[in-house]
Amino acid sequence: MKVEQPLKVFIISDSVGETGEHVAKAAISQFRPMLQQVDLRKFAHIDTVEHVKNIVKIAKQQQALIIYTLVRQEMRAYMEQVAAEEQLAAIDVLGPIMHAVQRVTSESPKEEPGLVYQLDDGYFKKIEAIEFAVKYDDGKDPRGILKADIVLIGVSRTSKTPLSQYLAHKKLKVANIPLVPEVEPPEELYMMDPHKCFGLVISKEKLHSIRRERLLALGLRDDASYATDARIEAEIAHFQKVVEQIGCDVIDVTNKAVEETANDILQRRRMR
Amino acid sequence: MKVEQPLKVFIISDSVGETGEHVAKAAISQFRPMLQQVDLRKFAHIDTVEHVKNIVKIAKQQQALIIYTLVRQEMRAYMEQVAAEEQLAAIDVLGPIMHAVQRVTSESPKEEPGLVYQLDDGYFKKIEAIEFAVKYDDGKDPRGILKADIVLIGVSRTSKTPLSQYLAHKKLKVANIPLVPEVEPPEELYMMDPHKCFGLVISKEKLHSIRRERLLALGLRDDASYATDARIEAEIAHFQKVVEQIGCDVIDVTNKAVEETANDILQRRRMR
């Protein structure tokens, strides 16, 4: 494999820079999937022309690509102008969408940085959902089951915790319950609407390798019961039985990123 | 206030649609800050021209604005063409950045949907960080303090939990510790590198109103000790004392979204 030049990217924002970073990573992953040899630098709260001018100068010295999210038309125009003068590539992330919305709605943008982070009802719903998922993680308190929008069940190491957090960021209250043959599942699982419940399943081979790695990472021997075939089979059989009793959907998470599983769950909810 | 027409937006993606949704929300919040009267619909895993054609037809019927993230050049060109035929506004989120990266690096994009969700080292580091933040939330286990990249301390209701999760999404291991005058802070707080520690402070007035609301939400009377001025002052005085002993930075989170506080912490870390 040839050694690649490090790619320098400046994210410039009049707010936090989350949006620019997200888009930059999505685009760059098409070239350098591991984001190796990529040097992303974020400049937040850039809201004066002097600020912009100074950063463009540094970008010029380092031959960095510029990706910007600036909500004021005047600032975007200035950025475009100085980048052109310096012959630097500078991509406007918000401008094209803002122009289109303006055309479609005939409304004028407020042009206030950070409006997306407003402490409105949606924000507090999200914060509440994040706290809910922490509180009702790992079957800590089965009372969460009847309060939740979504309940995830599965054997150990099926990404229940991170998946709960991803869904929480979509403002959904998620409780997750681990299933182990030795412990009777909480009765609330059979009292809830089964449509709210999703069973997470993973191939035996994958589960085996994840658990072996985990044991090794914990400094334990990899032949502990937790990672044996017999144990894993018993756990999965128990899981299948509980899932059938509840009558809920089952999602295979083998080799799937939690973002993808989260999207799958959201789509199934929408279908109903 | 005039009643606004609902704004319809279609997010079309060959992967999950997270990027398009993020950018759409940032741009639209400039027009309708509460995202009221906005109807966002996400179409994930759209990877054939037939798929694109069908969705554009529906978009035409509903006069929806299209925002798309498609990694294949051929698909983007097709989308542009059919949208133009139907005289619909369609904004390409990834194309401009991908072209710029291609020009700067002379590399060709892989054009595989979902590469940003690859199960690589970065992904597993993020998952581990999310699990870490849940495990070491709310002082549950002070051993987390010495293993963490960042330790957050603060009185109750200073957004420690959601902030820990936001930082976890940036692959940082975060432990958070509540401070209450009655409980001796864990000794690990004084053993750690104080640069890793951040105290979260909030104005007394704000804390008072948050806690009153919380009591009411819990169905309790709002004059419980938890929400009295005397109690809040005692807690804040205790917090100040601990923070001075540790010698850590203090961040004011009053009226700040957790995304902004997270960014503040990341910037302070970078400065060092």
Side-chain angles (χ1 to χ4, degrees):
Chain A
M1 233 177 76
K2 74 172 198 284
V3 175
E4 286 149 345
Q5 288 289 319
L7 167 63
K8 295 206 172 194
V9 180
F10 280 18
I11 314 282
I12 302 177
S13 171
D14 50 23
S15 172
V16 169
E18 285 279 295
T19 309
E21 187 180 354
H22 193 135
V23 179
K25 284 184 176 167
I28 296 168
S29 68
Q30 288 299 321
F31 295 84
R32 300 179 181 191
M34 312 288 248
L35 293 179
Q36 278 163 344
Q37 303 279 359
V38 180
D39 182 3
L40 271 187
R41 255 184 91 180
K42 205 155 71 170
F43 298 85
H45 302 296
I46 303 306
D47 50 8
T48 64
V49 291
E50 290 71 34
H51 255 120
V52 168
K53 200 196 275 179
N54 290 336
I55 295 170
V56 172
K57 259 188 212 152
I58 307 171
K60 175 73 180 177
Q61 285 161 7
Q62 307 192 3
Q63 284 298 303
L65 175 67
I66 295 173
I67 295 177
Y68 61 97
T69 53
L70 298 168
V71 300
R72 285 164 54 205
Q73 160 67 34
E74 181 199 346
M75 291 283 285
R76 291 197 299 272
Y78 183 75
M79 171 64 90
E80 201 179 334
Q81 180 203 321
V82 286
E85 283 168 10
E86 301 286 3
Q87 294 175 290
L88 277 179
I91 289 110
D92 181 2
V93 173
L94 295 179
I97 305 181
M98 289 179 64
H99 289 150
V101 173
Q102 190 159 9
R103 224 165 38 234
V104 173
T105 62
S106 311
E107 292 166 32
S108 300
K110 307 223 173 357
E111 299 205 335
E112 288 168 35
L115 277 183
V116 73
Y117 302 120
Q118 258 201 139
L119 306 179
D120 58 13
D121 289 355
Y123 172 80
F124 289 111
K125 231 183 134 180
K126 186 167 71 182
I127 295 300
E128 203 188 331
I130 293 172
E131 292 177 339
F132 187 96
V134 171
K135 187 167 177 187
Y136 297 109
D137 182 59
D138 205 34
K140 257 177 254 164
D141 180 351
R143 285 172 300 176
I145 294 171
L146 298 178
K147 295 181 200 163
D149 299 314
I150 291 178
V151 176
L152 304 174
I153 58 175
V155 302
S156 170
R157 298 283 97 198
T158 45
S159 310
K160 295 184 296 299
T161 298
L163 181 55
S164 300
Q165 281 298 328
Y166 265 87
L167 292 165
H169 282 252
K170 304 289 180 194
K171 305 185 183 115
L172 291 163
K173 290 183 181 170
V174 185
N176 76 70
I177 312 287
L179 294 184
V180 255
E182 292 74 17
V183 182
E184 198 60 36
E187 56 180 356
E188 284 88 348
L189 281 182
Y190 305 103
M191 294 155 65
M192 69 176 301
D193 174 359
H195 285 144
K196 286 189 179 177
C197 183
F198 294 91
L200 305 179
V201 80
I202 188 170
S203 78
K204 287 175 194 172
E205 297 69 33
K206 186 75 196 170
L207 193 54
H208 194 235
S209 87
I210 293 176
R211 289 191 174 183
R212 251 192 9 225
E213 272 173 43
R214 190 168 163 81
L215 286 174
L216 293 172
L218 292 169
L220 300 168
R221 288 185 49 189
D222 66 352
D223 57 357
S225 139
Y226 179 70
T228 60
D229 284 343
R231 173 69 197 175
I232 285 174
E233 274 175 34
E235 286 191 28
I236 291 184
H238 172 72
F239 166 82
Q240 296 291 4
K241 200 188 75 193
V242 175
V243 154
E244 273 167 40
Q245 284 167 347
I246 299 175
C248 66
D249 274 15
V250 172
I251 297 177
D252 189 340
V253 301
T254 313
N255 296 326
K256 238 164 141 185
V258 293
E259 290 93 333
E260 292 171 303
T261 310
N263 184 60
D264 189 351
I265 290 177
L266 293 172
Q267 269 188 329
R268 286 172 195 242
R269 273 171 59 91
R270 230 172 290 128
M271 295 300 198
R272 297 222 175 94
Chain B
M1 232 178 78
K2 74 172 201 283
V3 176
E4 285 149 348
Q5 287 288 320
L7 167 63
K8 293 207 173 192
V9 180
F10 280 17
I11 314 282
I12 301 178
S13 172
D14 50 24
S15 172
V16 170
E18 285 280 295
T19 308
E21 186 180 355
H22 193 136
V23 179
K25 284 184 176 167
I28 296 168
S29 69
Q30 288 300 321
F31 295 84
R32 299 178 181 191
M34 311 287 247
L35 292 178
Q36 279 162 345
Q37 303 279 357
V38 179
D39 182 2
L40 271 187
R41 255 185 88 182
K42 205 154 71 169
F43 298 85
H45 302 296
I46 302 307
D47 50 8
T48 65
V49 291
E50 289 72 33
H51 255 121
V52 168
K53 201 195 275 181
N54 290 335
I55 295 171
V56 172
K57 259 187 212 152
I58 308 171
K60 175 73 180 177
Q61 285 160 7
Q62 308 194 2
Q63 283 298 304
L65 175 67
I66 294 174
I67 294 177
Y68 60 97
T69 52
L70 298 168
V71 300
R72 285 164 55 206
Q73 160 66 35
E74 180 199 348
M75 291 283 285
R76 290 197 299 271
Y78 183 77
M79 171 64 90
E80 201 179 334
Q81 182 205 319
V82 287
E85 283 167 11
E86 300 286 3
Q87 293 176 291
L88 275 180
I91 289 111
D92 180 1
V93 174
L94 296 179
I97 305 181
M98 289 178 65
H99 289 150
V101 173
Q102 190 160 9
R103 223 167 37 235
V104 172
T105 62
S106 311
E107 292 165 32
S108 300
K110 309 224 170 358
E111 299 204 336
E112 289 169 32
L115 276 183
V116 73
Y117 302 120
Q118 258 200 140
L119 305 180
D120 58 13
D121 288 354
Y123 173 81
F124 289 111
K125 233 183 131 180
K126 186 168 70 181
I127 295 301
E128 202 188 331
I130 293 172
E131 291 177 338
F132 186 97
V134 171
K135 187 167 178 189
Y136 297 110
D137 181 59
D138 205 33
K140 259 177 251 161
D141 180 351
R143 285 172 300 175
I145 294 171
L146 298 178
K147 295 182 199 163
D149 299 314
I150 290 178
V151 176
L152 304 175
I153 59 175
V155 302
S156 170
R157 298 283 96 198
T158 46
S159 310
K160 296 184 296 298
T161 299
L163 182 55
S164 300
Q165 282 298 328
Y166 265 88
L167 291 165
H169 282 251
K170 304 286 178 193
K171 305 184 183 119
L172 291 163
K173 291 184 180 166
V174 185
N176 76 69
I177 312 287
L179 294 183
V180 256
E182 292 74 15
V183 182
E184 197 63 33
E187 57 181 356
E188 284 87 347
L189 281 183
Y190 305 102
M191 293 154 65
M192 69 177 300
D193 175 359
H195 285 145
K196 286 188 177 177
C197 182
F198 294 90
L200 306 179
V201 81
I202 188 170
S203 78
K204 288 174 193 174
E205 297 69 33
K206 186 74 195 172
L207 193 55
H208 196 234
S209 85
I210 294 176
R211 290 192 173 182
R212 248 186 18 219
E213 272 173 42
R214 190 167 164 82
L215 286 174
L216 293 172
L218 292 169
L220 301 170
R221 288 185 47 190
D222 66 352
D223 57 357
S225 139
Y226 179 69
T228 59
D229 285 343
R231 173 68 197 174
I232 286 174
E233 273 175 35
E235 285 191 29
I236 292 185
H238 171 72
F239 166 81
Q240 296 291 4
K241 200 187 76 195
V242 175
V243 154
E244 272 167 41
Q245 283 167 348
I246 298 174
C248 66
D249 274 15
V250 172
I251 297 178
D252 189 341
V253 301
T254 313
N255 297 325
K256 238 163 140 186
V258 293
E259 292 92 333
E260 291 171 302
T261 310
N263 183 61
D264 189 351
I265 289 177
L266 294 171
Q267 270 189 329
R268 285 170 196 243
R269 274 171 58 91
R270 228 173 290 130
M271 295 300 197
R272 296 219 178 96

